[in-house]
């Protein structure tokens, strides 16, 4: 939504957290502070983790207003007519869905539905531990 291209392939070596959300989605609203807490905490400790949102079924102005209202610090991709979300296929059917992708671009974890900070941080920490052990 920030008019900057983004591709998972460009994130090699970085753990990526992908969150599919919509401003119309109650569980998305409820989980936003938890996502932001984890994103901020990881950024502050310098962990190689990138958060990216995938907006679902919102106009760009509505999605941007949501991100401003809830102080979302990481970028989101606009779901351009469903094409962006379609690339996720069956791994992100529900809204919200949170995916954790390892540094080699492999799906490491998925939460279908609302995620809380403790669960998400645990999943990301597990993937980071695997990255350093491997």
């Amino acid at each position: 939504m920030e008019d900057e291209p983004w591709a998972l392939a460009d994130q090699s070596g970085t753990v990526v957290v992908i969150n599919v959300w919509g401003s119309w989605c109650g569980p998305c609203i409820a989980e936003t502070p938890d996502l932001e807490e984890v994103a901020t905490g990881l950024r502050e400790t310098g962990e190689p983790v990138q958060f990216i949102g995938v907006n679902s079924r919102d106009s760009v102005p509505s999605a941007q207003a949501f991100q401003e209202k809830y102080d979302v610090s990481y970028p989101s991709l606009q779901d351009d007519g469903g094409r962006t979300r379609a690339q996720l296929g069956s791994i992100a059917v529900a809204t919200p869905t949170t995916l954790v992708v390892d540094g080699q671009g492999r799906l490491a974890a998925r939460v279908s539905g609302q995620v809380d900070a403790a669960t998400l941080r645990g999943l990301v920490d597990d993937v980071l531990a695997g990255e350093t052990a491997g």
Side-chain angles (χ1 to χ4, degrees):
M1 291 189 308
E2 291 80 12
D3 289 329
E4 293 180 23
W6 190 93
L8 183 59
D10 296 337
Q11 308 303 314
S12 181
T14 301
V15 173
V16 177
V17 176
I18 302 169
N19 178 254
V20 179
W21 64 276
S23 67
W24 45 268
C25 163
C28 300
I29 294 166
E31 75 177 2
T32 297
D34 291 281
L35 288 160
E36 187 59 34
E37 174 185 327
V38 176
T40 300
L42 290 164
R43 186 172 43 251
E44 287 174 353
T45 59
E47 297 291 351
V49 179
Q50 167 69 53
F51 275 62
I52 186 84
V54 175
N55 178 255
S56 182
R57 300 188 316 213
D58 277 319
S59 67
V60 171
S62 292
Q64 288 174 329
F66 177 93
Q67 287 191 294
E68 289 173 18
K69 179 177 181 178
Y70 295 102
D71 295 321
V72 178
S73 64
Y74 52 88
S76 282
L77 304 173
Q78 178 60 22
D79 187 14
D80 49 356
R83 289 190 305 261
T84 302
R85 188 156 181 182
Q87 291 176 5
L88 297 173
S90 62
I91 62 171
V93 176
T95 304
T97 294
T98 302
L99 309 171
V100 181
V101 179
D102 71 12
Q104 296 178 34
R106 301 175 300 199
L107 179 63
R110 172 181 68 172
V111 177
S112 185
Q114 184 176 335
V115 68
D116 62 52
T119 299
L120 180 56
R121 184 63 193 242
L123 293 171
V124 172
D125 286 346
D126 288 349
V127 175
L128 287 168
E131 299 279 305
T132 57

